[in-house]
Amino acid sequence: MAKFIIRGGKPLNGEIAISGAKNAALPMLAASLLTKERIVYHNVPQLLDIFTIKKLLLKLGVNMSETDPLIVQAERITNHCAPYELVRTMRASILVLGPLLAREGKACVSLPGGCAIGARPVDLHLRGLSEMGADIVLEKGYIKAKAKYLKGTEIYLDIPTVTGTENLMMAATLAKGETVLKNAAREPEVVALAKMLKDMGAEIKGEGTDTIVIKGVEGLSGTICSIIPDRIEAGTYMVAVAITGGRARFKNCCLEHLGAVIKKLKEAGVKITKVSNGVEILAPKEIKSTDVTTLPYPGFPTDMQAQFMALMCLSNGVSVITERIFENRFMHVLELKRMGADIKIDGASAVVRGVPKLMGAPVVATDLRASASLVLAGLAAEGITEVDRIYHLDRGYEKMELKLKALGAEIERVAV
Ligand code: EPZ
C-alpha cells in the first residue's frame, strides 16, 4: 500500500504529455477476442486496470507480448470463464462477455458486484444479448450465456450505457443480420472502438450518434490501432493547473473530446488555448463559481465531477454540482470538508460555497476520481496533505506523481 505526501501552494508550470485513455483501451483490448488474428496496440497506458484486463485475456488463452506496441492474438480461446477474483477488482471485465459469446457461442462471466459510486447493474447488457437470441442464466454469482449464433435485432437502451453499448456493438459484429442500437452511448471511447472494429472488417454506421447500425459479418481480421488520448486525465490536470494558479502545456491532448469540460473551465475563468501539438492552460486570478450537471456525452462527464468540485471549493461564490449518472458519487465531499471546504449535499446536488483557502490534512481515497479530487485539493492547500489508499489512483492515472512533479509539484509516493 502507498500514499501521497503533498506540500501544497505551488503554482504548476511546465509541459506534460497525456497518456492513452483507460476507458478506450479496455474495450479495445476485449475486442481482440473477436478474431484469431494479431492486433497491434499503440499508446496503451500503463495502469492497474490495463494490467487486470491483460491478466483476464491471458486466462482465456490469449497470447500477448510484453512489448510496446502491445501485440495480442486470440488464436484459440481455451477458457470461457472470467473469474470472480478478477471481475471484482475491475467491473469493466464484463466487456469480454459480448465478444466471447459472439465468437465462441458461450461465455461465463462473474456478475460484477456493487461499487463505491453506485449499484451499477449490467441488466441492459444482458437484456440486449438476450434480445439477440442468447440464453442467459445467473448461477452462483456467474452470468452463464450461450447461443448457437447471435441474431441481429433492434435494441433500445433505457440508459445510454457506455460499456453496454460497447459490449453489444462488439457482439453484433459477428451476429447474423443487422443490429440497431437505439439510445446508444456517444462517448469518444465508443467511437474509437467502432473505428477499430471497422478496421478489422466490421460494418458499422452511426457511431458517435444515439443510433448505431451494425451489419454482422462472417469473420474479423487483425489490425494495428492506437489508443486515443485520455480526456479525463487531461481534464484532471487542467484543474490541477487552474486550482494552483499555474500555467502549463499538454501534448497529445484531444480538445474535441473535452467540449463540456473546457466550456465549464472557461466559465470558471480558466484560459485554454489550442497550440501546435496540444493545449495551453492558464489559471485565472480569481476562480469564478460555476454550476455543473453531469450528463452522458457530450454533456459534462461524471468522471470530472469530483475534480471540478475541488476547484469550486476555492471559487469566489456558490456553485451547485449535480450528479445525474451515479447515485453515490459524492464520497469525496467529507474528505474535502476535512480540508476546510464548505459543501452541503442536498439529494443529487452538492452546494459548494467557495472558501479563501484549504488546509492540508490526512485524507482517504475511496474511488478513482474522488481520489484525484483530493490530490488536486492537496496541491492547492496550505501545508501538508496525505492521501491514503492511492491504489485507486493507479487504476486510472499513469505515473501521476511523476507528471505532477514535472509540473513542479511537491509530491512524494511513500509506502505505508
Ligand atoms: C463507463 O462505465 C466508464 N467506465 C465509467 O468510468 C464512467 O463513469 C461511465 O461510463 C459513465 O460515463 C468505462 O468505460 C470502463 P454506464 P459504465 O453503463 O459503462 C446505469 C472511471 O472513473 N446502468 O454508462 O459502467 C448505471 O448504473 C469510470 O473511469 C444500468 O442501470 O457506465 C449508471 O447509473 C467510473 N444498467 C448509468 O447507467 C446497465 O446495464 C451509466 O452507466 C448499465 C448501466
Side-chain angles (χ1 to χ4, degrees), residues 243 287 306-317 319 321 332-333 336-337 340-343 352-358 377:
I243 203 170
I287 299 165
Q307 300 93 314
F308 200 82
M309 186 185 290
L311 184 65
M312 290 302 108
C313 290
L314 292 167
S315 83
N316 64 356
S319 316
I321 298 195
H332 40 286
V333 169
L336 288 171
K337 289 173 82 166
D342 178 348
I343 308 170
V352 184
R353 194 175 297 281
V355 293
K357 64 181 178 194
L358 292 173

Side-chain angles (χ1 to χ4, degrees), residues 51-52 77 91 120 124 168 305 344 360 364:
F51 181 66
T52 304
I77 294 174
R91 33 178 330 99
R120 303 185 72 180
L124 300 175
L168 297 171
Q305 177 256 97
K344 284 191 186 49
V364 177

Side-chain angles (χ1 to χ4, degrees), residues 305-306 309 329-336 366 370 373-374:
Q305 177 256 97
M309 186 185 290
R329 204 166 203 181
F330 284 148
M331 301 287 275
H332 40 286
V333 169
L334 291 177
E335 298 301 305
L336 288 171
T366 48
S373 80
L374 301 179

Side-chain angles (χ1 to χ4, degrees), residues 165 181 183-187 190-191 205-213:
T165 300
L181 291 181
N183 196 27
R186 303 164 56 187
E187 271 69 2
V190 171
V191 174
K205 280 196 299 274
E207 68 275 15
T209 76
D210 62 5
T211 303
I212 303 177
V213 181

Side-chain angles (χ1 to χ4, degrees), residues 237-300:
Y237 290 130
M238 286 178 178
V239 173
V241 173
I243 203 170
T244 59
R247 176 189 200 126
R249 271 175 183 233
F250 301 168
K251 290 184 296 187
N252 192 29
C253 175
C254 179
L255 296 186
E256 291 68 43
H257 295 166
L258 281 157
V261 174
I262 289 173
K263 181 175 174 296
K264 286 295 170 183
L265 285 174
K266 285 186 173 173
E267 274 180 39
V270 185
K271 286 219 170 7
I272 298 174
T273 324
K274 195 175 173 76
V275 293
S276 62
N277 182 23
V279 59
E280 186 164 279
I281 321 295
L282 175 60
K285 296 242 170 325
E286 185 183 49
I287 299 165
K288 297 198 190 88
S289 55
T290 305
D291 297 345
V292 151
T293 297
T294 65
L295 291 167
Y297 191 88
F300 188 92

Side-chain angles (χ1 to χ4, degrees), residues 103-124:
R103 174 170 165 191
E104 299 281 300
K106 61 183 176 185
C108 158
V109 177
S110 171
L111 187 66
C115 165
I117 65 177
R120 303 185 72 180
V122 292
D123 56 319
L124 300 175

